[in-house]
């Protein structure tokens, strides 16, 4: 029991450490914060207030929605109270029986607030009504009606903009939780899988990657976030993907690849983060969006390949089996990229476990059971 608790604690600490060191989380959020920003720079957010409001959290949007309407109702309520007071319509002013009020039914501050609310929201209960005998009251009801319409349009546009944010479309784009390294078409490839969960296409989809690592230059300068381009491709190329079904994307590990010096026994000791981006335009909304995810060394499996997930049904339709989306099977793979490209006849270990000098012999069973990541 104590052992299981200790294992859970170590696993939790490992997950926390991995979460802190990630620049991009698995769901695409950037793990970065800005410090020592000059206070004067905060006014730039007010100048670009529309973007600031759209990017604000929903609770702040609802607070601003409620506060804006309530404040305008109260301010115009004070103005209506001032108008009826100047006209002598209030109860405590004891108007004469033949007195003509500016607004029927407004006899105090509370009723003035209620009349302001009814005017701006166009409720009109019929208890309080404007008379044509006060030009100032006619001008005020016109101003409040126009301003109320502007506020309603702005708030409705803000809520619609937040609902239709392109990053919401990105929620239906899914990456495989693990990446794999295995041979493919006489190349050693790092592969990931991506799926579009909607039937509507992503037009002009392009995928690319960035390898983030800490490097030291020849001058002794340490670069904390050195970025190296990682090219991905499918069998048909790397540009303008036909993203109608799940795709398996491949990065060829050759001499120009930053993964060329990585081996099976040193992969998990590396310190890097592979960030993968997918850019495209939603067919239904014509909105551009970007989907992001990342892989750390512990999330890359050497010597595995993805299971096929596309088949053809009896009624001659193509069928996608998402139960195999993240499942892999072991395949014979060289211990390192150098072995794959330079050692003739020893590009792969056999199923019987052929000796390879300089590496530990690993027994590989005959089982072909799929492994779910």
């Amino acid at each position: 029991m104590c052992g299981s608790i200790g294992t859970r604690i170590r696993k939790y600490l490992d997950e926390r450490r991995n979460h802190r060191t990630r620049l991009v989380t698995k769901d695409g959020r950037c793990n970065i914060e800005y410090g020592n920003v000059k206070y004067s720079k905060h006014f730039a957010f007010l100048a670009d207030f529309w973007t600031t409001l759209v990017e604000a959290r929903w609770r702040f949007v609802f607070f601003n929605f409620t506060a804006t309407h309530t404040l305008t109702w109260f301010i115009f309520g004070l103005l209506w109270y001032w108008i009826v007071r100047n006209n002598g319509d209030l109860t405590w002013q004891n108007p004469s029986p033949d007195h003509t009020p500016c607004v029927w039914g407004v006899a105090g501050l509370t009723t003035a607030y209620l009349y302001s609310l009814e005017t701006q929201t166009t409720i009109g209960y019929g208890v309080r009504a404007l008379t044509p005998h006060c030009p100032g009251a006619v001008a005020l009801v016109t101003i409040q009606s126009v301003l109320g319409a502007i506020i309603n349009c702005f708030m409705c546009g803000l809520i619609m903009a937040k609902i239709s944010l392109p990053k919401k479309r990105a929620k239906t784009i899914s990456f495989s939780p693990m990446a794999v390294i295995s041979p493919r078409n006489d190349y050693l490839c790092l592969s990931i899988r991506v799926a579009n969960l909607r039937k509507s296409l992503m037009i002009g989809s392009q995928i690319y990657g960035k390898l983030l690592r800490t490097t030291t230059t020849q001058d002794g300068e340490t670069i904390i976030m050195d970025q190296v381009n990682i090219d991905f491709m499918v069998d048909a190329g790397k540009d303008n993907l036909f993203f109608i079904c799940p795709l398996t994307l491949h990065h060829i590990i050759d001499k120009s690849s930053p993964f060329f010096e990585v081996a099976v026994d040193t992969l998990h000791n590396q310190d890097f983060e592979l960030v993968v981006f997918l850019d495209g335009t939603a067919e239904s909304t014509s909105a551009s969006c970007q989907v992001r995810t990342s892989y750390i060394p512990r999330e890359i499996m050497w010597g595995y390949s993805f299971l096929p997930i596309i088949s053809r049904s009896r009624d001659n339709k193509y069928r996608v089996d998402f139960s195999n989306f993240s499942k892999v099977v072991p395949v014979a793979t060289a211990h390192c990229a150098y072995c794959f490209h330079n050692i003739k006849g020893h590009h792969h270990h056999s199923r019987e476990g052929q000796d390879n000098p300089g590496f530990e012999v690993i027994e590989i069973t005959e089982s072909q059971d799929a492994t779910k990541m």
Side-chain angles (χ1 to χ4, degrees), residues 120-243:
Q120 190 165 328
T121 57
T122 65
I123 293 178
Y125 288 120
V127 178
R128 285 166 285 275
L130 180 67
T131 62
H133 301 289
C134 298
V138 175
L140 183 61
V141 74
T142 304
I143 294 173
Q144 185 174 4
S145 299
V146 173
L147 183 61
I150 294 175
I151 293 176
N152 289 334
C153 292
F154 181 85
M155 288 299 173
C156 290
L158 175 60
I159 293 176
M160 287 300 299
K162 283 190 66 64
I163 293 176
S164 59
L165 280 177
K167 65 180 181 180
K168 302 301 182 182
R169 177 64 175 89
K171 299 294 184 180
T172 54
I173 304 295
S174 178
F175 285 94
S176 58
M178 304 289 283
V180 297
I181 295 178
S182 60
R184 177 180 174 82
N185 297 334
D186 296 329
Y187 294 102
L188 186 66
C189 298
L190 183 147
S191 305
I192 62 174
R193 181 168 277 175
V194 60
N196 180 13
L197 302 181
R198 291 188 179 274
K199 291 185 178 181
S200 59
L201 296 181
M202 293 290 293
I203 303 173
S205 299
Q206 295 182 344
I207 192 163
Y208 56 95
K210 296 287 185 180
L211 186 69
L212 308 178
R213 58 187 179 181
T214 301
T215 59
T216 303
T217 62
Q218 296 180 353
D219 299 332
E221 180 185 1
T222 301
I223 303 177
I224 300 297
M225 197 185 301
D226 186 24
Q227 301 185 18
V228 180
N229 292 328
I230 301 294
D231 292 328
F232 286 93
M233 62 179 297
V234 294
D235 294 336
K238 65 179 181 179
D239 296 327
N240 297 327
L241 305 178
F242 186 37
F243 201 8

Side-chain angles (χ1 to χ4, degrees), residues 36-202:
N36 299 325
V37 180
K38 293 183 178 180
Y39 183 77
S40 58
K41 297 296 183 181
H42 290 262
F43 291 100
F45 293 95
L46 297 178
D48 187 20
F49 69 94
W50 176 253
T51 304
T52 302
L53 292 175
V54 171
E55 293 180 349
R57 295 180 180 272
W58 275 108
R59 55 178 174 266
F60 296 114
V61 173
F62 289 136
F63 174 79
N64 291 331
F65 183 90
T66 304
T68 301
H69 284 86
T70 305
L71 185 61
T72 53
W73 296 338
F74 180 73
I75 291 175
F76 278 100
L78 293 178
L79 295 176
W80 285 115
Y81 181 80
W82 175 70
I83 288 178
V84 297
R85 179 179 178 179
N86 287 343
N87 195 51
D89 299 344
L90 300 178
T91 304
W92 58 270
Q93 291 178 317
N94 296 322
S96 60
D98 57 347
H99 176 74
T100 303
C102 288
V103 182
W104 291 105
V106 176
L109 184 59
T110 302
T111 52
Y113 173 80
L114 291 176
Y115 179 72
S116 174
L117 186 153
E118 295 169 12
T119 300
Q120 190 165 328
T121 57
T122 65
I123 293 178
Y125 288 120
V127 178
R128 285 166 285 275
L130 180 67
T131 62
H133 301 289
C134 298
V138 175
L140 183 61
V141 74
T142 304
I143 294 173
Q144 185 174 4
S145 299
V146 173
L147 183 61
I150 294 175
I151 293 176
N152 289 334
C153 292
F154 181 85
M155 288 299 173
C156 290
L158 175 60
I159 293 176
M160 287 300 299
K162 283 190 66 64
I163 293 176
S164 59
L165 280 177
K167 65 180 181 180
K168 302 301 182 182
R169 177 64 175 89
K171 299 294 184 180
T172 54
I173 304 295
S174 178
F175 285 94
S176 58
M178 304 289 283
V180 297
I181 295 178
S182 60
R184 177 180 174 82
N185 297 334
D186 296 329
Y187 294 102
L188 186 66
C189 298
L190 183 147
S191 305
I192 62 174
R193 181 168 277 175
V194 60
N196 180 13
L197 302 181
R198 291 188 179 274
K199 291 185 178 181
S200 59
L201 296 181
M202 293 290 293

